[in-house]
Amino acid sequence: CHCGPLKWWSRQNRMVLKFADHHIAKRLRRDMKKAPYRVTFDQAFEQVIAACAGHRSYNKHSLTWITPQIMKLYTELFDRGEAHSFEVWDQDGNLVGGGYGLSYGRVFATESQFSLARDTSKMGFAVLNYHLAKWGYVLNDGKDYTPTIDAMGFKLIPRAEFDATVRENCTRAPEADAWTVSATIAEVAEWDPSRPAGAEAPPAKP
């Protein structure tokens, strides 16, 4: 993204999440139940992408692929309803986590995330995946393998399988048109991905 024209890449394998396989770690579920945060969709897209483009605490000298040109292009996609963001806010109204990606048909492609407080992007990401599943999406495309998304239940599939899934699910999920949050972080903490999203959670064990 820093030299020459923008490049397009098609990987041989894609790291994707089928929502029934989504894993939320026990510690994260526990923290979500008492988290002093709230999650929104599409309320601060430009702030989110700017935060995603910022330097990471663990690698302050790295170049980001999210250049000003990329930010402009994705903001235009957001204005067209094709890109979306999730935001995590603290009790004082500060943006402390979030991420963004592209929606095409019933597939969502996560592009980048950021956290300014511990696990805030993971909490927001769980809320996002809950709603995607509820709205009838079939995949969250994470693109490349990372240990973090591997632990969440993402799996590598061949490009041919990915392409076929996209072709079979090219119709927009109508439930997602509004992109509004209908479940809190604490409610998503009770989510059993093996059951339909939005189904009543089983009674808590005494």
Side-chain angles (χ1 to χ4, degrees), residues 26-44:
K26 289 182 179 179
R27 181 188 61 79
L28 182 62
R29 286 185 185 272
R30 183 178 65 247
D31 291 345
M32 289 171 66
K33 292 176 183 178
K34 58 184 179 181
Y37 306 121
R38 65 183 180 90
V39 176
T40 59
F41 295 147
D42 291 351
Q43 298 301 301

Side-chain angles (χ1 to χ4, degrees), residues 37 51 55-56 88 94-98 114-121:
Y37 306 121
H55 289 298
R56 307 299 184 180
V88 184
N94 299 308
L95 184 65
V96 293
F114 78 97
S115 289
L116 299 181
R118 194 185 77 173
D119 290 341
T120 48
S121 68

Side-chain angles (χ1 to χ4, degrees), residues 5-132:
L6 294 178
K7 303 169 183 66
W8 181 84
W9 304 94
S10 182
R11 293 161 173 76
Q12 291 298 323
N13 297 291
R14 304 289 284 222
M15 194 73 171
V16 303
L17 176 67
K18 298 178 181 178
F19 298 107
D21 298 329
H22 190 24
H23 175 69
I24 305 174
K26 289 182 179 179
R27 181 188 61 79
L28 182 62
R29 286 185 185 272
R30 183 178 65 247
D31 291 345
M32 289 171 66
K33 292 176 183 178
K34 58 184 179 181
Y37 306 121
R38 65 183 180 90
V39 176
T40 59
F41 295 147
D42 291 351
Q43 298 301 301
F45 185 88
E46 292 188 45
Q47 285 179 260
V48 167
I49 196 170
C52 289
H55 289 298
R56 307 299 184 180
S57 60
Y58 53 82
N59 193 1
K60 293 183 179 180
H61 303 292
S62 64
L63 285 174
T64 175
W65 67 273
I66 309 173
T67 61
Q69 182 184 14
I70 289 288
M71 294 170 70
K72 178 177 181 294
L73 292 172
Y74 274 86
T75 300
E76 290 174 359
L77 289 169
F78 171 74
D79 291 338
R80 288 165 45 178
E82 297 175 15
H84 298 276
S85 61
F86 67 89
E87 302 89 21
V88 184
W89 308 89
D90 68 13
Q91 291 174 306
D92 297 321
N94 299 308
L95 184 65
V96 293
Y100 73 98
L102 293 173
S103 174
Y104 44 98
R106 295 176 185 266
V107 174
F108 187 83
T110 299
E111 298 295 328
S112 187
Q113 302 181 54
F114 78 97
S115 289
L116 299 181
R118 194 185 77 173
D119 290 341
T120 48
S121 68
K122 291 180 180 178
M123 294 181 187
F125 197 48
V127 173
L128 171 67
N129 286 322
Y130 169 88
H131 284 81
L132 292 174

